[in-house]
Amino acid sequence: MALPANVTTGTWTLDPSHSEIGFTVRHAGISKVRGQFTDAAATLDLAENVTDSKVNASIKTASFDSGDANRDGHVRGEDFFDVETFPEISFVSSTIVPKGDAYELQGDLTIKGITRPVALETEFNGVAVDPFGNTRAGLSAETTISRKDFGLTWNAVLEAGGVLVSDKVAINLELAFIAPAA
């Protein structure tokens, strides 16, 4: 599958100030908690054939932010991410599969030293030139993972039954990449 005419090959870099690495997890079985990681870096190595392209990303676990300082401190601690021992989450793509107008980005996700394959349903949102002359590409991607698959097993049993934190975590990405300089 060829690149659109206005998209150049080469290494595109993530623009973190115009990107969001978000998550949603069910809390106490009755509500959802949302948050994001605020410190990430990524490259998108675009090939002439889109399916030959590669993505490499790293996220600083200490940048976990759910909007609640107490919860954030707990999640950064040894019960969850253990940011002192495991300062980064990483993703390295292996395959890009066209799915109609979208793509499935497959690769290896590493959290807390455990690597598992994941598939992200990915949508290409287009290309635009900003007022400063930078060419930007937008992507949206999502997947759901089991936190237990990555050693994130802490939980508390609720008096009424169930657990405090669900196993399933929805990951939602809104990404802006900047083209390589001409």
Side-chain angles (χ1 to χ4, degrees):
M1 176 175 250
L3 289 173
N6 58 345
V7 178
T8 60
T9 60
T11 302
W12 294 58
T13 55
L14 182 71
D15 176 2
S17 64
H18 293 98
S19 298
E20 183 176 292
I21 300 161
F23 63 87
T24 306
V25 64
R26 190 161 297 278
H27 178 261
I30 60 168
S31 64
K32 292 181 179 178
V33 171
R34 290 175 171 72
Q36 63 183 329
F37 290 91
T38 59
D39 188 357
T43 57
L44 170 60
D45 292 316
L46 275 177
E48 192 62 44
N49 182 341
V50 173
T51 59
D52 293 331
S53 300
K54 300 289 183 199
V55 175
N56 285 291
S58 64
I59 301 166
K60 299 293 185 191
T61 53
S63 73
F64 177 90
D65 181 10
S66 69
D68 181 281
N70 289 329
R71 176 176 44 231
D72 294 351
H74 183 208
V75 172
R76 289 182 193 123
E78 292 179 10
D79 285 340
F80 288 94
F81 286 121
D82 190 3
V83 302
E84 296 298 321
T85 306
F86 302 100
E88 289 188 347
I89 294 170
S90 66
F91 175 80
V92 178
S93 70
S94 57
T95 307
I96 299 173
V97 179
K99 299 273 184 165
D101 290 339
Y103 300 90
E104 182 177 86
L105 177 61
Q106 300 172 359
D108 291 325
L109 179 64
T110 302
I111 301 174
K112 210 170 176 181
I114 299 171
T115 302
R116 298 277 188 255
V118 297
L120 294 120
E121 296 304 317
T122 306
E123 179 181 352
F124 176 66
N125 298 325
V127 174
V129 177
D130 69 22
F132 308 102
N134 297 306
T135 301
R136 298 171 172 274
L139 302 168
S140 298
E142 59 185 35
T143 193
T144 299
I145 63 169
S146 162
R147 62 186 185 87
K148 291 177 188 172
D149 285 350
F150 295 93
L152 301 170
T153 59
W154 182 91
N155 223 328
V157 176
L158 299 174
E159 185 178 312
V163 292
L164 188 62
V165 183
S166 71
D167 177 48
K168 299 297 179 193
V169 179
I171 299 171
N172 307 305
L173 308 171
E174 294 297 332
L175 307 173
F177 284 90
I178 299 175

